[in-house]
């Protein structure tokens, strides 16, 4: 149980283009999903909290107009990197919390990640 | 600023030994703590969660929590080369927003 998928697993794009990353919870419902970014040899940095049916909550310093998040259903959240630039190249990882695990309030399960390279 | 601190390592242990990974956190209100394992180029995988003071054992892994000292640890018994990875400590935020704060991770190397 608690399987999270991401698509694509890697993407290479030209500077100025937009890239959409999908995050799906496969065997559970997730009211809340999280989007992280990880640069080489650094820890996970939370970008935003994605809530089903409402606007995402962005962390300080993360541009909401650049990183568009949509959480249209209990099993799908998308992150769109708009007008991508080389400095946006990173490992983007989503996670989801299983509503069914009532006792484990903050337990998150991660997707396999998407490696974005912007040329 | 809520922080979770770990020594980045690397921590080298011989195969079969006990690996001891440590973590401290600044958010006194935090009630939940997690250890994740991350292999190079991969996403984190949940190993253990702990919510109460004391020890919690799962196979070769034991998590220890001391809320008074704001200290969390992970012991790996009978370490195997396949345990070589970065171990991330995380603490649930006390604000109730379900977020967790991650440490930088400790790189563990198990030497055959």
């Amino acid at each position: 149980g608690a399987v999270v998928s991401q698509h694509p697993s890697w993407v290479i794009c030209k500077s100025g283009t937009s890239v959409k990353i999908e995050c799906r919870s496969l065997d559970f419902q997730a009211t809340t999903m999280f989007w992280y970014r990880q640069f080489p040899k650094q820890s996970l940095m939370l970008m935003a909290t994605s809530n089903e049916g409402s606007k995402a909550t962005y962390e300080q310093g993360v541009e909401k107009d650049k990183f568009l998040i949509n959480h249209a259903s209990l099993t799908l959240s998308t992150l769109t990197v708009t007008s991508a630039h080389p400095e946006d190249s990173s490992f983007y990882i989503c996670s989801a919390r299983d509503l069914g695990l009532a006792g484990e309030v903050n337990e998150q399960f991660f997707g396999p990640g998407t490696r974005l390279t912007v040329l | 600023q809520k922080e979770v601190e770990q020594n980045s390592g690397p921590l080298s242990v011989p195969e079969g030994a006990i690996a001891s990974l440590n973590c401290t956190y600044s958010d006194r209100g935090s009630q939940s703590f997690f250890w994740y394992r991350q292999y190079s180029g991969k996403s984190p995988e949940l190993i253990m969660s702990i919510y109460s003071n004391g020890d919690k054992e799962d196979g070769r892994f034991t998590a220890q929590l001391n809320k008074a000292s704001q200290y969390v640890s992970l012991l790996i018994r009978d370490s195997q080369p396949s345990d070589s990875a970065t171990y991330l400590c995380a603490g649930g935020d006390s604000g109730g927003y379900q977020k967790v704060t991650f440490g930088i991770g400790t790189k563990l190397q198990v030497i055959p």
Side-chain angles (χ1 to χ4, degrees):
Chain A
V3 178
V4 178
S5 70
Q6 265 183 260
H7 178 81
S9 56
W10 60 269
V11 58
I12 301 173
C13 70
K14 293 181 179 180
S15 185
T17 60
S18 294
V19 174
K20 180 185 282 190
I21 303 170
E22 290 187 350
C23 177
R24 293 180 184 273
S25 55
L26 298 186
D27 52 359
F28 66 99
Q29 293 184 327
T31 302
T32 304
M33 292 184 174
F34 303 89
W35 286 96
Y36 294 85
R37 181 168 52 183
Q38 187 176 38
F39 293 105
K41 299 191 186 302
Q42 294 188 23
S43 187
L44 293 167
M45 296 301 297
L46 179 65
M47 299 175 66
T49 302
S50 172
N51 302 296
E52 187 266 337
S54 65
K55 292 182 179 180
T57 303
Y58 290 82
E59 295 300 299
Q60 191 172 6
V62 178
E63 300 175 58
K64 62 180 180 181
D65 294 331
K66 182 173 180 61
F67 298 99
L68 302 178
I69 292 173
N70 184 281
H71 194 152
S73 76
L74 285 173
T75 59
L76 174 64
S77 177
T78 61
L79 168 68
T80 301
V81 184
T82 63
S83 186
H85 291 285
E87 57 266 30
D88 297 323
S89 299
S90 187
F91 191 39
Y92 291 86
I93 316 173
C94 72
S95 71
R97 187 175 74 87
D98 188 345
L99 282 178
L101 299 177
E104 289 78 18
V105 177
N106 298 81
E107 202 165 87
Q108 297 180 22
F109 299 93
F110 284 86
T114 298
R115 193 162 301 280
L116 171 64
T117 301
V118 185
L119 303 177
Chain B
Q1 180 89 15
K2 297 170 182 174
E3 295 182 344
V4 174
E5 296 195 359
Q6 296 180 259
N7 187 321
S8 60
L11 172 67
S12 296
V13 300
E15 183 175 356
I18 296 175
S20 178
L21 305 164
N22 306 311
C23 166
T24 58
Y25 60 93
S26 65
D27 185 355
R28 279 204 166 272
S30 187
Q31 297 296 318
S32 53
F33 303 90
F34 310 91
W35 284 99
Y36 287 84
R37 177 174 61 196
Q38 187 175 24
Y39 292 111
S40 181
K42 303 294 184 181
S43 68
E45 171 192 10
L46 182 65
I47 298 176
M48 295 277 289
S49 57
I50 187 166
Y51 301 85
S52 304
N53 277 327
D55 295 359
K56 179 181 178 183
E57 185 175 320
D58 184 359
R60 294 187 296 113
F61 299 97
T62 299
Q64 300 173 318
L65 172 61
N66 184 324
K67 291 184 180 180
S69 301
Q70 297 176 243
Y71 176 86
V72 193
S73 67
L74 179 70
L75 300 177
I76 306 174
R77 290 182 298 280
D78 188 23
S79 295
Q80 300 297 309
S82 59
D83 294 327
S84 297
T86 296
Y87 289 80
L88 302 171
C89 174
D93 286 5
S94 58
Y97 297 110
Q98 306 166 11
K99 297 192 300 183
V100 297
T101 299
F102 285 87
I104 194 169
T106 298
K107 185 172 183 178
L108 174 66
Q109 296 176 338
V110 181
I111 311 301

